[in-house]
Amino acid sequence: MALLCVDYPDPPMDLEVSDPDKRSIRLTWIPGDEHNSPVTEFLVQFEEDRWEPGQWQNLSSYPRDLNSVILPLSPFVNYQFRVIAINSVGKSRPSRPSQRYQTSGASPDAIPSGLKGWGTKNTNMEISWEPLLNTEQNGPNLHYSVWWRRKDTGEEWNNVTTVGAKHIVHDTETYVPYEIKLQARNDFGPGPESNIIIGYSGEDKPTAPPTDLHVSILTAPRSTSTGPR
């Protein structure tokens, strides 16, 4: 009886990029030897040289019968790609990287998450949010526009632009509700505005003791019982 030796697949070869578009590109490769264990999927990874150079990240997985795929991309990223073949034994070594492809920039698509407002003192309100990921920035000079106004007053919006992920509103009244909204922007323009959320300025201790206290004394009702005479 002959023994069938199986092994990790060889890495894919001859990566080629084509059909470039603003948000996508076609990647094609030649599969390597499967070594008697059929490849089940291909893992495409990317590396970009602006924020995390040299760090490879997973992009997409594809079934074994595909070796030419359209990759979804983010704007303003200088990509290169590599492919890993996977079979029942495990993963191949990564392929040689493709040539680089730089996507063009655009205004942000994403709305920063985690927007909230709360008082850290009785005379302020701190507005904060989660900053966009590097690959969500879509262009240079990312910054945030923040708006706030007291709720149900009809007053005009206050506005500030910042590169950080928080803004402190000073000299507020104590524990007042505010409407707050947020927008990311870059050199290509503004992104979508967030929904309006409600935040509150800081609380304080009571300034006066309670007044007009009344004390009532409650007495339990008497109960009587009568027995046979």
Side-chain angles (χ1 to χ4, degrees):
M1 179 183 294
L3 294 177
L4 182 65
C5 294
V6 297
D7 202 352
Y8 300 98
D10 285 344
M13 303 174 291
D14 298 337
L15 271 62
E16 180 180 329
V17 292
S18 60
D19 303 336
D21 202 352
K22 291 182 179 179
R23 301 291 182 99
S24 67
I25 198 168
R26 179 176 292 278
L27 178 67
T28 304
W29 63 90
I30 297 175
D33 194 320
E34 295 182 329
H35 293 290
N36 298 315
S37 178
V39 167
T40 56
E41 63 178 315
F42 293 102
L43 173 63
V44 177
Q45 297 181 321
F46 76 92
E47 181 264 352
E48 52 80 24
D49 62 359
R50 180 172 289 110
W51 298 288
E52 296 181 283
Q55 299 296 315
W56 288 92
Q57 304 176 56
N58 294 343
L59 180 60
S60 302
S61 293
Y62 298 94
R64 68 181 308 271
D65 57 341
L66 293 180
N67 70 321
S68 183
V69 296
I70 300 295
L71 302 179
L73 305 179
S74 297
F76 199 60
V77 178
N78 192 23
Y79 287 97
Q80 66 175 344
F81 308 100
R82 70 183 188 184
V83 183
I84 296 172
I86 302 173
N87 66 9
S88 62
V89 180
K91 295 180 179 180
S92 72
R93 299 187 311 278
S95 68
R96 292 180 180 273
S98 70
Q99 67 189 77
R100 286 199 176 272
Y101 175 61
Q102 168 78 58
T103 52
S104 57
S107 59
D109 299 312
I111 298 173
S113 62
L115 178 61
K116 58 184 177 180
W118 78 101
T120 58
K121 296 180 180 179
N122 60 359
T123 57
N124 78 3
M125 179 178 64
E126 181 173 301
I127 303 172
S128 65
W129 57 92
E130 294 296 326
L132 294 187
L133 300 175
N134 292 332
T135 52
E136 294 176 328
Q137 295 185 15
N138 289 8
N141 192 26
L142 179 74
H143 50 285
Y144 302 95
S145 292
V146 190
W147 292 268
W148 70 95
R149 66 182 178 186
R150 289 181 298 172
K151 186 175 182 290
D152 298 329
T153 62
E155 64 187 19
E156 295 295 320
W157 287 97
N158 300 285
N159 174 253
V160 71
T161 298
T162 178
V163 297
K166 73 176 181 180
H167 174 70
I168 298 178
V169 181
H170 296 283
D171 300 323
T172 64
E173 297 178 9
T174 302
Y175 200 60
V176 172
Y178 281 82
E179 295 178 317
I180 304 168
K181 60 182 180 177
L182 177 67
Q183 180 186 56
R185 308 172 67 95
N186 63 25
D187 283 353
F188 289 92
E193 289 186 8
S194 71
N195 293 328
I196 294 173
I197 64 106
I198 304 300
Y200 285 85
S201 56
E203 300 179 73
D204 201 357
K205 297 177 181 178
T207 57
T211 58
D212 296 331
L213 295 179
H214 298 278
V215 178
S216 297
I217 299 176
L218 300 178
T219 58
R222 293 182 179 180
S223 61
T224 59
S225 62
T226 58
R229 295 184 179 180

